Amino acid sequence: MLTETDKLNNIFAAKDKYSSDEYIAILEQNLIELAQNQAFSKNQNIENIVSDEIINNKDHFNFDVLNSVQYGVSVVNANSEIIIANNALAEIFDTSATDLIGLKLFSLLHNDHEISKCPVCTGIHKTQRATAEFWNDNIHGFLEVDVDPIFEIAGWEKCSLVTIKDISDRKRIQNDLLLSKKRYEVLFENSHTVMLMVNPFSRRIVKANMAASEFYGYSIETLEKMSVEDINTMPSEQIQVELSNALRKNNNGSAFKHQLSSGEIKTVEIFFGPVCFDGKDLLFAVIHDITANNELFLKLEQTNAQLLIAKHKADESNRLKSAFLANMSHEIRTPLNGILGFAELLSLEKVDDVKRKKFAGIITDSGIKLLNIINDILDLSKIEAGEVKPNMEEFDLVRFFNDIYLFYIERQMQDLKFIFHKPLETTINIISDKTKIFQIVQNLLSNAFKFTKSGQITLEYKIIDNLLIVEVNDTGIGIAKEYQSLIFERFVQLENQNIGIKGTGLGLSIVKSLCKLLNGEIVLSSESEKGSNFKVSLPINPVKEMFFDKAGREIDIVEYKTVELEKLIGTVIIAEDEEINREFFHSTLNKSKLKLYFAKNGVEVIELAHQYPETDLILMDVKMPIINGLEASKIILKDFPDMKIIAHSAYVTKEDLEKNIDAGCIDFLAKPFKINILIDLLNKYLVK
């Protein structure tokens, strides 16, 4: 627990954090508390306690009594020799209590020639009460010494109880307080700003500066005899309310009408602040004349109105976030329940193969849903933090949209058709951010399938004047006009449609943010119960267009051929620290002719690389114990420069990919990945 001295030291050290008024008030309050506590300690009648201890335990004095006291205590005889001393006294003079016994007390306090002038020495010699404060060269600070006589006790000579306190901090703070007060008075009196000190209870003007005298037209002496009612045109009752509010720090920057000595009325703005001055709680008022600038007053009112609007918006934002978090909890728990529940069912012995496949399918679907939710949350957090940057690369737009079509055509049902309109070109190579365009199209199509139960969904793309135009049309529930301005806002999800569809409400917000990131735009055209049209326009850099010739042969397209899993041949080292992931690799590739070696950490993969130098490929997990994958790659490539290493990791940001390349990896496999992606990647580097 902090002592009062510790508290004062902390306040002194934090001096720059307070204004002059605050600093003075805090110091005064703590000095009062310190004095009260010292008075309380004094009232413990320590001389009686010590006397009782001497009487009862003259031969076996219990020093625990004195050592429990936090300031210096000693018993001295009439010759000023120390008979008893506690640890606190020894600590003041940087010695031990044992070494103090037998010393002359005055040797600790001052030089020999000062004995006759010292009230402490006189009190000890005459066995009288005495007290003194003085500078002490031994500790280079101030001491407070009190002498209380202990009257003669059987077998003992006349003694005195001497208490010594180190009051250096108190003296320093008192001096600092006086200095601060002087500085404050100088600043107050010489400031060009109108300043008053007001008693908030009597409403009297206690102090005024020269600037106030010049502004109001009264002398300082006259102002300091006036009350606030003499200059403020408000009724007295209202003035008292304003001063009370200011004292509670509830009134600041308020406008009033003040009357000058000439009778002229001025509009003033007053900033109040509580201050303790000469031991009184006053209000410090800084006054600005705003008569010639009524626009400032109007602007103040407008600002207050804007702040009120901003508060309402903030409240609404908090409400939406709370609703979003509650909805998100439901969205996450639903697929998680499917994963955990059916995983437990799979562990039962009596589950046949048909049910096992069904349960595995449910677990897979639930995992994909959960991954999509997590991706949405991560995307939103990265976008809001400004961490998402465009990653421009060259890719084939035709193949890109064909892959999207093949993925979503599986969602087509008897009453719902998925139509894909594409250009005639066989290949259109462009430079843009492939991943972010995929996120945009995926979110738009997922929304369309979610809110369209019958009719058709159409995907179309084209390039016009270096703009990629993507349109997604549906015949779903549509969006009423009054909601169309809200649909792209974060955490907003329309719930008035009564169609039993839930989600995170982040998809369209992410789409809009990604379009903005790519310097594009998205436009919505919709009508309730008649469907929606989302049109995205993104600037792109076309690289080249390629076509089939008349003989049907492809021009200037080089692609690796995919072969069956059974035809994969070679030696592969798989570095993976998670047992489940190692089992996945083994189960996926066990039908191939690959020689597989598994490593659980960076040290093991380095050892396997040296043990099997004929290795054709290493699948390197980036995050592994002992030595991580990137460091292990650098070590292996130093000894085997031609070794092919593919990094695999759940960290898929642009910065992470650049780190993999810098480490010497030739490709990257993002977790979680599908089986066909893994096999295609192995085909790319193992098939000649």
Side-chain angles (χ1 to χ4, degrees):
M1 181 180 294
L2 292 176
T3 66
E4 283 76 11
T5 302
D6 291 333
K7 293 178 183 177
L8 290 172
N9 277 332
N10 290 342
I11 294 167
F12 188 78
K15 173 181 178 182
D16 294 337
K17 295 183 180 179
Y18 303 105
S19 66
S20 296
D21 295 343
E22 292 173 332
Y23 184 56
I24 292 170
I26 291 171
L27 285 178
E28 286 182 343
Q29 182 61 35
N30 278 272
L31 284 172
I32 290 169
E33 291 178 2
L34 178 61
Q36 289 172 344
N37 287 338
Q38 289 175 337
F40 175 81
S41 298
K42 186 70 176 177
N43 291 334
Q44 298 304 300
N45 204 359
I46 290 183
E47 65 271 16
N48 291 337
I49 296 174
V50 175
S51 298
D52 291 343
E53 184 65 24
I54 292 172
I55 293 170
N56 297 325
N57 300 283
K58 183 178 70 173
D59 297 325
H60 304 284
F61 187 80
N62 186 356
F63 284 93
D64 291 340
V65 174
L66 292 187
N67 286 332
S68 65
V69 181
Q70 294 184 353
Y71 50 84
V73 177
S74 65
V75 176
V76 300
N77 59 25
N79 294 324
S80 195
E81 293 175 347
I82 299 175
I83 301 172
I84 298 171
N86 71 344
N87 290 337
L89 181 64
E91 186 176 342
I92 291 175
F93 294 102
D94 194 22
T95 184
S96 67
T98 304
D99 292 338
L100 289 175
I101 305 301
L103 288 180
K104 298 285 189 178
L105 180 66
F106 62 77
S107 67
L108 300 175
L109 303 180
H110 48 66
N111 297 324
D112 293 352
H113 65 274
E114 298 181 36
I115 294 176
S116 60
K117 302 177 183 178
C118 176
V120 172
C121 294
T122 302
I124 292 172
H125 180 68
K126 296 182 178 182
T127 320
Q128 296 176 347
R129 289 184 179 273
T131 184
E133 291 182 4
F134 48 80
W135 173 265
N136 184 270
D137 290 329
N138 289 324
I139 69 166
H140 298 287
F142 284 92
L143 293 177
E144 179 185 83
V145 184
D146 291 294
V147 178
D148 291 287
I150 301 175
F151 296 103
E152 185 174 354
I153 301 167
W156 286 66
E157 58 186 347
K158 289 183 179 181
C159 299
S160 296
L161 176 70
V162 181
T163 59
I164 300 177
K165 305 181 187 73
D166 184 349
I167 60 171
S168 302
D169 290 335
R170 189 204 308 174
K171 284 290 186 181
R172 183 181 63 194
I173 293 171
Q174 287 174 339
N175 291 336
D176 189 69
L177 183 63
L178 291 173
L179 180 61
S180 296
K181 184 178 178 182
K182 290 179 180 178
R183 289 175 179 171
Y184 178 82
E185 290 177 339
V186 170
L187 289 173
F188 179 88
E189 293 169 359
N190 294 281
S191 175
H192 295 291
T193 302
V194 178
M195 296 180 182
L196 298 175
M197 284 191 194
V198 178
N199 187 317
F201 308 105
S202 66
R203 303 189 294 280
R204 302 291 299 179
I205 298 173
V206 177
K207 197 169 182 61
N209 67 352
M210 183 56 68
S213 173
E214 294 173 355
F215 176 71
Y216 289 105
Y218 298 104
S219 67
I220 293 177
E221 292 76 12
T222 302
L223 276 173
E224 293 177 353
K225 294 177 182 178
M226 297 170 65
S227 67
V228 177
E229 288 97 325
D230 296 327
I231 57 175
N232 195 317
T233 60
M234 272 187 175
S236 298
E237 297 79 7
Q238 186 61 35
I239 291 174
Q240 187 59 59
V241 171
E242 295 291 340
L243 293 177
S244 298
N245 287 337
L247 192 62
R248 294 193 298 269
K249 299 183 179 180
N250 292 331
N251 188 347
N252 218 348
S254 301
F256 300 94
K257 299 289 186 180
H258 278 197
Q259 186 174 24
L260 310 184
S261 62
S262 63
E264 183 182 359
I265 303 296
K266 292 276 189 178
T267 302
V268 297
E269 183 182 35
I270 302 180
F271 292 87
F272 290 107
V275 62
C276 183
F277 191 79
D278 286 340
K280 298 178 181 179
D281 291 329
L282 304 177
L283 277 177
F284 177 72
V286 177
I287 301 167
H288 298 289
D289 180 9
I290 59 171
T291 306
N293 192 8
N294 286 325
E295 292 182 2
L296 180 62
F297 185 72
L298 294 174
K299 187 175 181 180
L300 208 64
E301 291 183 332
Q302 292 172 357
T303 301
N304 288 334
Q306 290 170 357
L307 287 173
L308 187 61
I309 294 172
K311 179 181 179 298
H312 290 323
K313 286 184 177 180
D315 291 342
E316 177 65 13
S317 176
N318 287 333
R319 186 192 69 79
L320 289 173
K321 287 183 179 180
S322 298
F324 163 75
L325 290 174
N327 185 39
M328 188 63 65
S329 175
H330 174 270
E331 291 295 319
I332 291 176
R333 289 175 182 272
T334 300
L336 193 58
N337 184 63
I339 294 171
L340 296 177
F342 284 97
E344 185 176 358
L345 289 175
L346 276 177
S347 65
L348 300 177
E349 295 180 359
K350 295 182 180 181
V351 177
D352 56 36
D353 289 342
V354 175
K355 287 186 177 180
R356 196 178 301 279
K357 289 182 180 179
K358 179 181 178 181
F359 294 167
I362 294 173
I363 292 173
T364 301
D365 291 341
S366 298
I368 292 173
K369 290 178 182 177
L370 185 59
L371 179 63
N372 289 336
I373 292 171
I374 293 172
N375 284 338
D376 279 351
I377 297 172
L378 292 176
D379 288 341
L380 180 65
S381 64
K382 288 180 180 179
I383 290 170
E384 288 188 335
E387 295 178 358
V388 179
K389 306 295 181 184
N391 181 26
M392 298 303 184
E393 60 179 320
E394 180 181 343
F395 66 96
D396 184 352
L397 196 63
V398 174
R399 182 176 178 179
F400 171 81
F401 275 100
N402 284 343
D403 290 342
I404 292 177
Y405 169 72
L406 292 175
F407 180 80
Y408 280 95
I409 192 62
E410 297 178 0
R411 298 193 182 187
Q412 182 175 260
M413 299 179 293
Q414 184 175 356
D415 296 331
L416 179 62
K417 302 296 182 184
F418 179 39
I419 301 172
F420 177 40
H421 297 301
K422 59 181 179 179
L424 296 176
E425 291 86 351
T426 303
T427 300
I428 304 175
N429 281 22
I430 67 168
I431 295 177
S432 188
D433 192 317
K434 180 180 178 180
T435 302
K436 293 176 180 58
I437 295 177
F438 175 78
Q439 286 181 275
I440 292 170
V441 179
Q442 181 191 43
N443 273 299
L444 293 178
L445 285 175
S446 295
N447 260 18
F449 276 97
K450 183 187 295 185
F451 295 104
T452 307
K453 299 304 179 184
S454 62
Q456 67 181 35
I457 295 172
T458 304
L459 170 64
E460 180 178 2
Y461 75 94
K462 53 192 172 184
I463 294 179
I464 302 177
D465 296 331
N466 288 346
L467 277 180
L468 171 61
I469 310 295
V470 182
E471 291 192 59
V472 175
N473 290 277
D474 65 65
T475 57
I477 62 173
I479 303 168
K481 289 186 178 180
E482 59 266 30
Y483 298 114
Q484 290 181 15
S485 61
L486 301 175
I487 199 66
F488 294 105
E489 294 296 325
R490 290 173 174 83
F491 313 120
V492 172
Q493 184 182 18
L494 302 184
E495 300 174 351
N496 64 330
Q497 307 292 347
N498 296 321
I499 58 174
I501 298 174
K502 296 184 178 181
T504 63
L506 297 177
L508 291 177
S509 175
I510 292 173
V511 168
K512 183 177 180 180
S513 297
L514 292 176
C515 287
K516 184 178 180 180
L517 185 68
L518 298 178
N519 297 318
E521 64 176 3
I522 181 169
V523 178
L524 166 64
S525 176
S526 183
E527 192 173 341
S528 184
E529 303 302 330
K530 292 186 179 180
S532 302
N533 171 268
F534 289 91
K535 183 177 181 180
V536 174
S537 302
L538 301 172
I540 50 99
N541 294 319
V543 178
K544 55 185 176 180
E545 297 183 1
M546 306 209 57
F547 306 89
F548 283 107
D549 62 12
K550 293 182 179 180
R553 291 172 300 189
E554 194 175 69
I555 303 175
D556 198 22
I557 294 180
V558 179
E559 294 181 350
Y560 65 87
K561 296 181 179 180
T562 302
V563 300
E564 295 82 359
L565 180 64
E566 291 81 358
K567 293 184 180 180
L568 288 174
I569 300 174
T571 300
V572 177
I573 297 175
I574 299 176
E576 172 61 63
D577 65 321
E578 294 288 345
E579 182 178 353
I580 294 175
N581 291 339
R582 291 197 301 272
E583 179 62 30
F584 172 77
F585 280 115
H586 183 270
S587 300
T588 302
L589 303 175
N590 64 351
K591 293 183 180 180
S592 70
K593 296 179 182 180
L594 294 173
K595 291 182 181 179
L596 301 177
Y597 299 98
F598 290 91
K600 300 177 183 178
N601 55 60
V603 172
E604 289 185 5
V605 72
I606 294 171
E607 292 174 350
L608 286 174
H610 284 83
Q611 187 176 351
Y612 302 102
E614 72 278 8
T615 297
D616 298 291
L617 185 68
I618 298 177
L619 288 175
M620 182 73 74
D621 187 10
V622 173
K623 185 180 180 183
M624 287 192 301
I626 305 179
I627 298 177
N628 66 48
L630 299 183
E631 292 301 320
S633 298
K634 294 176 182 177
I635 294 171
I636 292 171
L637 290 171
K638 187 177 293 185
D639 296 330
F640 304 99
D642 296 328
M643 183 68 73
K644 297 177 182 177
I645 301 177
I646 297 176
H648 61 97
S649 173
Y651 299 99
V652 293
T653 65
K654 180 182 178 182
E655 292 76 13
D656 293 319
L657 296 177
E658 290 174 349
K659 290 178 182 177
N660 297 328
I661 294 172
D662 292 340
C665 299
I666 60 174
D667 214 325
F668 181 78
L669 184 62
K671 293 179 181 179
F673 48 81
K674 294 184 178 181
I675 294 175
N676 64 310
I677 295 176
L678 172 62
I679 296 174
D680 282 351
L681 194 62
L682 294 176
N683 288 332
K684 182 176 180 180
Y685 293 105
L686 294 178
V687 177
K688 298 180 181 179

